[in-house]
Every structure is written in C-alpha cells, then in structure tokens.
Amino acid sequence: MAEGADPARRSIGARRNPDSAEAILEAAEAVLVEAGYAGFSIEAVARRARAGKPTIYRWWPSKAALLLEVYQRQKRVDVPDTGKLEEDIVGFLVNLFAHWRDTSSGSVFRSLIAEAQSDETAAAALAGYAGGRRAHTGQIIERAKARGEVAGDIDAAVVADLLASYAWRHLLTNRLDEPEATIRKMVRYLLQGIAAEAGQ
Amino acid sequence: MAEGADPARRSIGARRNPDSAEAILEAAEAVLVEAGYAGFSIEAVARRARAGKPTIYRWWPSKAALLLEVYQRQKRVDVPDTGKLEEDIVGFLVNLFAHWRDTSSGSVFRSLIAEAQSDETAAAALAGYAGGRRAHTGQIIERAKARGEVAGDIDAAVVADLLASYAWRHLLTNRLDEPEATIRKMVRYLLQGIAAEAGQ
Amino acid sequence: MAEGADPARRSIGARRNPDSAEAILEAAEAVLVEAGYAGFSIEAVARRARAGKPTIYRWWPSKAALLLEVYQRQKRVDVPDTGKLEEDIVGFLVNLFAHWRDTSSGSVFRSLIAEAQSDETAAAALAGYAGGRRAHTGQIIERAKARGEVAGDIDAAVVADLLASYAWRHLLTNRLDEPEATIRKMVRYLLQGIAAEAGQ
Amino acid sequence: MAEGADPARRSIGARRNPDSAEAILEAAEAVLVEAGYAGFSIEAVARRARAGKPTIYRWWPSKAALLLEVYQRQKRVDVPDTGKLEEDIVGFLVNLFAHWRDTSSGSVFRSLIAEAQSDETAAAALAGYAGGRRAHTGQIIERAKARGEVAGDIDAAVVADLLASYAWRHLLTNRLDEPEATIRKMVRYLLQGIAAEAGQ
DNA sequence: TGCTAATCGAGACGGTACGTCTAGTCTTTTT
DNA sequence: AAAAAGACTAGACGTACCGTCTCGATTAGCA
C-alpha cells in the first residue's frame, strides 16, 4: 500500500533509483551466500531488498542477468607479475581459489555456471564473460612469451582455456582447497611437458 | 519409448516392478533430451512414464539420483589404445565430445553437474563418479608410462584431472564442436610442455 | 515444505479432502465479511484457510465459482404462507432484507453480482441461479392465483422478476433498511395498480 | 480515439490541459467498450490516452469518479411524452434498453454499479446520481397524475424506484433484449394491478 | 487357501516461486 | 505552479513443481 509510516525507498522520479539497484544487488549476494543457489529466487531477493519484483524484472530480465552483475561487481583477482611464468600461474590460481573460497564470488560464479545450463541467455552472457577473462589470463602467457620464457608459436588462448578449465572444475566440485603443491605440479607439467624425453 | 503395448502397468506384488523402473529411466532421458535441464522435473518424468510420483521418489530420493542412474545406463566411451599416447588422448577426447554431442549423454551429464551445484547429494555422487572416471582415464597415462612414453614420476591423477577439466568446460560452455586440431594442440602442449627450452 | 511440526490438513488420497473444502468456504465467507469484496482475493482466502492456492483453483475455477458456492451454502430465506398475498410478499421481502443485512449473505450476493459484471462464468452462474429463485418466488404468486387472489392470466415470472429487481437494487444501493411501510406501498401498487380508475 | 494526430501532448503550463482530460475520458470509454469492466484499469486508460497515471489520479480520485464522468458525458435517453402513461413508460424503458445496448453507456453504467460494490465513493456518487434520475423519471408519473391518469396519493418516487430497479436488473443480467411485449406486460401490471378484483 | 505386506498408478494436499499486472505514491523535468 | 512521465513498493494474479500422503488394486509369499 505504501502508506505513510515507513521510511522506505521511493521512486526518485522518472528514472532508475540507484539505491534500489544497490539494495537489490546486495540482497542477491546475501541470499546466495546464506541460502546458496538452491535458495536463490527472485522472490527471496525482492523480500530481502524490500523491493518489488517488477523492479527487479525491469532491470534484470533473468536470474542470470542478476547473477552476472553481482559477479562483476566483485573485486577482481590479482594477476601476479613475478617475472617467472610458473610463479605467475601458480600465484594466479592460488589467489583465484582463495578468492572464490573466502568471498561470495565462488557461490556466485558457481550459480552462474549452473544457471547457464538451463538458461540460454545465461549461457551467452557467460560465454562473453569467459572470452574476456581468457584474453586477460592469456596475457600472463603473452608476457612470458615476450620474455622468451615461452615458445613463440604457442597459442596462448589454448593455454588460458586449459587453466580456466582446471579452475572451473575445482570450483564446481568443491576442491578449492587443493594444496598449492598439486597446483604447482599441474603447472609444471604444462610448462615442461609430461613426455619422458622432454622431462629428462 | 516406454509406452506402446502395456495398458497401464500395475503392481506385480510386494516388490519393485522393473518395467516401471525402466519406463521411468527412459522417460527421464527423453524429457532431458526434449526439454533440456530447464524442463526436467519429476512431474514431467512421471507424466511421461505414466508413473506415480511416489514411485519415482521411492527409488530415487532426488533428481540427482535419477540423473546419475540415467547417465550410468549410457554406453561408455571407447578409450583407444593405439600405442601412442597423443593419439590415445586426442582420440579419447574426440570420442567423448562426439558421444556427448550425438547422444543424450551430454544433456544428462550437464544436468548432473548443474544439479550438483545446489544439491549436496548430487555433489557427492558426482565426486564419487568423477573419481572412478579419473582412475579410468589415468590408465591411458599409466599405459604410456609402462611403455616409457611418460616420465615415471608423473602423477597420472593430476593429468587425468586436467583432461577431465578440459572436457567438462567444453561441455558446460557448448563447445563440443571444438576442432580436432585445437584439441591436439592442447594435448601436445601437455605432453611436450610450452616452455621455450623444452621446445628446443 | 510441510515439515513435521504442524498438524495441518493433508491429502487424504487421490480424492478431494472435504475438510479443506470446508475450511476454504468458511475462510472465503470470513474474508468477505471482514474485508468486503474489495479485499476478497484468492490469496487472502488461501492464507486464512491455510490452504494452497492451487487447491482453491483446482475446485473453483474462478472467484465467481467460489462466491456462488459460498452463497449457496447459506441458509435460505423463509417464504411465508399466510394465505394473503400482500402479507406473503411483504413478509418475504422483509425477511430477505433482514437476512441480507444480518448475515454475510448480503455481502456475498453483492460480490457475486459485481463479479458477474466482469466475469462471464459468474454471469452465467448467476443467471442460472436467478432463474431458479424466480421460479421459487413465483410460487407465492401461483399460490395466490390458485386461491383466486390473482387473475388467472397473470404471468408469475414477470411479477417475480419485478420483485427480485426491487430486492437487488436495494441490496446494491445499501438500502436494506427500507421501512416496511415503503415496501408495503410498493407491493400494494403492484397488487392493485396505480392507475386512477383501478384505484377508485 | 484519443490517439491520432498529436505527437505526444505536453504540459501547457500551470493549468489543466483540456486535451489530456478529453483524451483520458475517451480512452476510458474505449477501454471499457473493448475490454469490458474486467480490463478497465487506470493503467490501461493511461496507456491508451498516452497519459501518466498521476495525471488521471489528480483529476479523478478513483476509478469510480472517472466512470461517473464518462457516464455523464453520454447522451441522455429521451423521455417520451405521448400523453398516455403506459406508452411513456414503455417507450422510456425501450429507449433506455436500446441506448444501453447500442452505445457504450451500458458497459459504463454496469461498471459503475459494480465498482460501487467495493468502493465507498462510487457508492455515494451512484446514490447521488440515482436520486437525480429517480426525480427525473418520477416526472413521467407526476405528469400522468396531473392529467388524472394516476391516483393523487401515489408516491411517484416509489414507482420510479421500481422501474429503475427493473432496468438495472436487466442491465446487470444481460437481458437488454427483453421483448417490448414483456416490458409492456410488466408496465400494465403496475398500472392496473395484478389482483383479481382489480383486473376484472 | 487365505492373510499380510509391499508396490503400483493416481492425484490431492500445503507450499514456494514464477513472471506479469495493477494500485497508488513520489520526484524530476518541462512548460 | 502544475502537467507529464515513468520509477517505486506492494501485492494479487493464475500456473508449475515440490515432496508427502492416502487411496484402491494388485500380487507374492507366509501361514
């Protein structure tokens, strides 16, 4: 009814109210952290944000869109630049796992991937996002290439893809506590190969 | 699919009716193929199988359990044994992608992974299953190790994990049509390393 | 979730639970009395009856159907039989007005008529119901005809229709407190005519 | 209807824009005709009139007020003056039914009555309006009284009320196609009475 | 042979969430 | 100063599923 008593957010005229948007995004994150993807519903977000459902649907056409914006608001992971490729990659993965483990980012991104399995728009959004990240991660390899640490004909995108795959699967199977030693082992295999003659 | 001759399956006494189980599993697969994970509900399966919902819940306590059994009924992918590790791995991945693409397995497995993001039991089941598959895939590497194609101190589980990650991510992001050349590139990197000195 | 704690109504098998139906009808009446037609919503009824909305929609396809059944559950108005037509009709109207005023029937019937203005099925249901009542009221006139109190060629249905119209309008315009004298005046006009020569 | 030439009406300064008022009333009527009372909402009117909702609320505090003004803009029904009461009344009712049937007036007035069942202000407005009309219709009887066609002690308001009731109920139950013969029968009963001795 | 027990299809139950619609209020911008 | 426009919270709409429950029937195995 919106009667007088409550000091709730109101319209601020014929334009989007940033307070509402903020409240909704915060509520979405909170719901995801507290109830997980299973408990993540537009209703629950609206309830927690004290927002009307249509306000959510007006700005985020799908659960996926909301999830994506929540994820993108998060702080990015540091990409180390130690001058040594192995350290850079291991450090990146260790940071990423910690970030996913210790903030809400992990829950959010997991949910986004899950949502993309049943929602076409989520899949598209995720593909776009992943493309951007792949390029970003690829820079670690490109830098190493520039230093001569990596052969010039190596396709950085393929390597970045492989690293992202490794990270995704650890996220999706609750293995973000993988010991650094295991991660390093994987990175070394990738850098030096696992073939007997290469290893010798 | 399940329907056809039988004019309403009935109880066959105080024991599980295998016809019902069969009809339910077939219906589950069909629903998944036709409506995708988004349209996969116990109601829809029961409707299509002409079964009561409690019959499904009696034998499969969760959507995840049903999905898992559907997946396990599928034909397995051939693991080639050509005597050359690169061919084995590339062949395995190419076969796996084709299998996921051309049968219902892809839909089923995607759904299972998605379900595991919100259902604890699905996560557990998936972890157990993945462990088994990792061991299985690891045998390719172990065989190569026995042939001397792979260094003896290589951890086959880590390599199998990396390959599985690559496959999962392609499944989850609709990239099962990856050209063989790209797959082969990735495999070569893994076998020979990407470091400049290794390549020399 | 229907978890253990509450001793709520449950399904009693694959058939309608009369307890639920009863609870819903009582809740509908209560909501109508307390909040009026303006506050009468399926949601409100479901809440008060502690029933699920689909349970209501399953048995009453529209608000109109629910209203109609609520109205039909009400006690009927006595149709007096004093042997004198004027007394019978006046008595009937006085009883009807009192009944509408003092029970929930008035609210319910008003709502039903209002609903019929926007809902085709309500209109049809109301037409059917009104037909039955018209026949019923017509019997007062038929009895008088048999006694020779009314001319033999009088169309009882037309008279009954006129009386019902009078009642409806008083209901719809909040004039159920019309003094008996006014009602009697109207009835006398109808019985004896208002034309000057007839009155002489 | 309302749209057409004007490429977005604008404010004309610190006073009511008569074009807007006109557009809103026309839109209200059009919505009522096309979608019926069920589809009649302030939103729908605003949309069709290309007006903002607050503009409507500023000038018409409730749906009822808007409905009432729409109804009052309609052309009035002719009240015949043939010199014979029966013809006057029958003619009036026939004209009224035709008017309600063939113009939007019927929809509008039905809606107004329905609205009055849940809106207090609508009920008050309707009561006021009905009072005026009753006086107006009463003049037919007063004229007849002056001619000596009707007994001098007849209460014209009661008769007018009864006729209005008859009209309302036909409107509310979709019986505006009542044959003239039936209407005439009712009018004769009222004029000459239905009692046996009066009829002889 | 007759009783018990478990299973089957069926579908109702109380609920939650969906995505859309409307109510009525608020504020900025425009005239 | 007020009109216009669209955003805002709130909540109802009617539908789809959830997971549970009870029914009546059916049949196997125990008595």
Side-chain angles (χ1 to χ4, degrees):
Chain A
M1 288 290 166
E3 54 258 87
D6 66 350
R9 275 186 320 279
R10 295 208 164 282
S11 168
I12 56 168
R15 67 195 204 283
R16 186 174 189 172
N17 184 340
D19 289 351
S20 289
E22 184 65 23
I24 288 164
L25 290 167
E26 278 179 12
E29 185 180 340
V31 166
L32 217 35
V33 167
E34 290 171 20
Y37 177 52
F40 181 75
S41 68
I42 298 289
E43 295 251 350
V45 173
R47 250 192 321 264
R48 184 179 245 271
R50 297 192 60 77
K53 276 198 288 176
T55 302
I56 300 183
Y57 281 108
R58 181 165 12 249
W59 302 113
W60 297 277
S62 66
K63 240 194 270 207
L66 184 52
L67 282 170
L68 192 66
E69 184 161 346
V70 171
Y71 188 65
Q72 284 171 334
R73 271 163 47 99
Q74 313 269 0
K75 206 160 50 64
R76 290 270 72 82
V77 171
D78 290 339
V79 178
D81 185 3
T82 64
K84 288 202 228 151
L85 181 55
E86 182 182 318
E87 296 311 318
D88 281 3
I89 296 179
V90 171
F92 169 66
L93 289 174
V94 167
N95 285 353
L96 179 60
F97 283 18
H99 180 238
W100 277 346
R101 227 187 309 115
D102 302 337
T103 73
S104 60
S105 297
S107 301
V108 178
F109 198 52
R110 280 177 69 144
S111 302
L112 190 50
I113 295 172
E115 188 69 15
Q117 306 313 308
S118 56
D119 181 318
E120 204 51 59
T121 71
L126 190 58
Y129 176 79
R133 297 307 297 166
R134 187 161 50 234
H136 187 255
T137 311
Q139 293 183 331
I140 302 182
I141 291 107
E142 294 295 348
R143 274 202 314 255
K145 223 191 263 187
R147 287 194 304 265
E149 238 189 310
V150 160
D153 59 350
I154 290 298
D155 187 338
V158 167
V159 177
D161 196 26
L162 195 53
L163 292 174
S165 300
Y166 185 82
W168 277 38
R169 196 155 98 118
H170 276 73
L171 173 65
L172 295 176
T173 54
N174 286 313
R175 287 190 292 148
L176 295 178
D177 54 353
E178 191 77 84
E180 184 179 325
T182 308
I183 297 173
R184 187 174 297 273
K185 209 189 281 184
M186 183 277 292
V187 173
R188 282 202 180 133
Y189 293 170
L190 184 58
L191 297 189
Q192 299 162 17
I194 63 171
E197 56 278 12
Q200 300 307 345
Chain B
M1 290 284 176
E3 57 259 276
D6 57 345
R9 277 184 318 279
R10 296 217 161 276
S11 167
I12 55 168
R15 67 196 205 284
R16 183 174 192 174
N17 184 339
D19 289 352
S20 290
E22 183 66 22
I24 289 164
L25 290 167
E26 279 181 10
E29 185 180 341
V31 166
L32 219 34
V33 167
E34 290 171 20
Y37 178 50
F40 182 75
S41 67
I42 298 290
E43 292 254 352
V45 173
R47 230 171 4 240
R48 183 178 247 270
R50 300 190 58 77
K53 278 198 288 177
T55 304
I56 300 183
Y57 280 109
R58 179 157 19 246
W59 302 112
W60 297 276
S62 66
K63 239 197 269 208
L66 183 52
L67 281 169
L68 193 66
E69 184 162 346
V70 170
Y71 188 65
Q72 285 171 335
R73 270 162 47 98
Q74 311 269 359
K75 206 159 51 62
R76 291 271 71 80
V77 171
D78 290 339
V79 178
D81 186 1
T82 63
K84 288 202 226 152
L85 181 55
E86 182 182 317
E87 296 310 319
D88 281 3
I89 296 179
V90 171
F92 169 66
L93 289 175
V94 167
N95 285 352
L96 180 59
F97 284 18
H99 180 237
W100 276 347
R101 230 187 307 115
D102 303 336
T103 72
S104 60
S105 297
S107 301
V108 178
F109 198 52
R110 281 176 70 144
S111 302
L112 192 49
I113 295 172
E115 188 69 15
Q117 303 314 307
S118 57
D119 181 318
E120 205 51 60
T121 71
L126 190 58
Y129 176 80
R133 297 306 298 165
R134 189 162 51 234
H136 188 255
T137 312
Q139 293 183 330
I140 302 182
I141 290 107
E142 293 296 348
R143 274 203 313 255
K145 220 190 266 184
R147 286 196 302 266
E149 236 187 313
V150 161
D153 59 350
I154 291 299
D155 188 336
V158 167
V159 177
D161 196 25
L162 194 55
L163 293 174
S165 299
Y166 185 82
W168 276 39
R169 198 156 98 117
H170 277 72
L171 173 66
L172 296 175
T173 54
N174 285 313
R175 287 192 291 149
L176 294 179
D177 54 355
E178 191 77 85
E180 184 178 325
T182 308
I183 298 174
R184 187 173 298 273
K185 210 189 279 185
M186 182 278 292
V187 174
R188 281 205 180 130
Y189 293 169
L190 184 58
L191 297 189
Q192 299 162 19
I194 62 171
E197 57 278 9
Q200 303 305 343
Chain C
M1 287 290 167
E3 52 259 87
D6 65 348
R9 282 186 313 279
R10 295 205 165 284
S11 168
I12 56 168
R15 65 196 206 284
R16 186 173 189 171
N17 185 341
D19 289 352
S20 289
E22 183 66 23
I24 288 164
L25 289 167
E26 278 178 12
E29 186 181 340
V31 167
L32 217 35
V33 168
E34 291 170 21
Y37 177 51
F40 182 75
S41 68
I42 298 288
E43 294 250 352
V45 173
R47 250 190 323 263
R48 185 180 244 270
R50 298 191 59 76
K53 275 198 290 176
T55 302
I56 300 183
Y57 282 108
R58 178 157 25 242
W59 301 113
W60 297 278
S62 65
K63 242 195 264 209
L66 184 52
L67 282 170
L68 191 66
E69 185 161 345
V70 170
Y71 188 65
Q72 284 171 332
R73 271 163 44 101
Q74 313 269 0
K75 204 159 53 61
R76 288 271 70 82
V77 170
D78 290 339
V79 178
D81 186 2
T82 64
K84 288 204 224 146
L85 181 55
E86 182 181 318
E87 297 309 319
D88 281 3
I89 296 178
V90 171
F92 170 65
L93 289 174
V94 167
N95 285 352
L96 180 59
F97 284 18
H99 180 238
W100 277 345
R101 229 187 308 116
D102 303 337
T103 71
S104 61
S105 296
S107 301
V108 178
F109 199 52
R110 280 176 69 142
S111 303
L112 191 50
I113 295 172
E115 187 69 15
Q117 305 314 309
S118 56
D119 181 318
E120 204 51 59
T121 71
L126 190 58
Y129 177 78
R133 297 307 297 165
R134 188 162 50 235
H136 188 254
T137 311
Q139 293 184 331
I140 302 183
I141 291 109
E142 294 294 350
R143 274 202 313 255
K145 220 189 267 186
R147 288 195 303 266
E149 236 189 310
V150 160
D153 60 350
I154 291 297
D155 188 337
V158 168
V159 177
D161 196 25
L162 196 54
L163 294 174
S165 300
Y166 185 82
W168 276 40
R169 197 154 98 119
H170 276 74
L171 173 65
L172 296 176
T173 54
N174 285 313
R175 288 191 290 148
L176 294 179
D177 54 354
E178 193 75 86
E180 183 177 327
T182 307
I183 297 172
R184 187 173 297 274
K185 209 188 280 183
M186 182 278 291
V187 173
R188 283 207 179 127
Y189 293 169
L190 184 57
L191 296 190
Q192 300 161 18
I194 62 172
E197 56 278 10
Q200 301 305 342
Chain D
M1 292 283 174
E3 58 260 275
D6 57 346
R9 276 184 321 281
R10 297 221 161 272
S11 169
I12 56 169
R15 65 194 201 281
R16 182 172 186 175
N17 184 339
D19 289 351
S20 289
E22 184 65 22
I24 288 164
L25 289 167
E26 279 180 12
E29 184 180 343
V31 166
L32 220 32
V33 168
E34 290 171 20
Y37 178 52
F40 182 75
S41 66
I42 298 290
E43 291 258 350
V45 173
R47 227 173 5 243
R48 186 179 243 272
R50 303 188 59 76
K53 279 197 288 176
T55 303
I56 300 183
Y57 280 108
R58 178 158 321 103
W59 300 111
W60 297 276
S62 67
K63 239 197 271 207
L66 184 52
L67 282 169
L68 194 65
E69 184 162 344
V70 170
Y71 189 65
Q72 285 170 334
R73 271 163 46 102
Q74 312 271 357
K75 206 159 50 63
R76 290 271 71 81
V77 170
D78 290 338
V79 178
D81 185 2
T82 64
K84 288 203 228 151
L85 180 56
E86 182 182 318
E87 297 311 318
D88 280 4
I89 296 179
V90 170
F92 169 66
L93 289 175
V94 166
N95 285 353
L96 180 59
F97 284 17
H99 180 237
W100 277 345
R101 228 186 308 115
D102 303 336
T103 72
S104 60
S105 297
S107 300
V108 178
F109 198 52
R110 281 177 69 144
S111 303
L112 191 50
I113 296 172
E115 188 68 15
Q117 304 314 307
S118 56
D119 180 320
E120 205 51 60
T121 73
L126 189 59
Y129 176 80
R133 299 304 300 163
R134 187 161 52 233
H136 188 255
T137 311
Q139 293 185 330
I140 301 182
I141 290 107
E142 293 296 349
R143 275 203 314 255
K145 222 191 265 184
R147 287 195 304 266
E149 236 188 312
V150 160
D153 60 349
I154 291 298
D155 187 338
V158 168
V159 177
D161 197 25
L162 195 53
L163 293 174
S165 299
Y166 185 81
W168 277 38
R169 197 157 98 117
H170 276 72
L171 173 65
L172 296 175
T173 55
N174 285 313
R175 286 191 292 149
L176 294 179
D177 54 354
E178 192 76 86
E180 183 178 326
T182 307
I183 298 173
R184 187 172 298 273
K185 209 188 281 184
M186 182 278 292
V187 173
R188 283 203 178 134
Y189 292 170
L190 185 57
L191 296 190
Q192 300 163 18
I194 63 170
E197 55 280 9
Q200 300 307 343

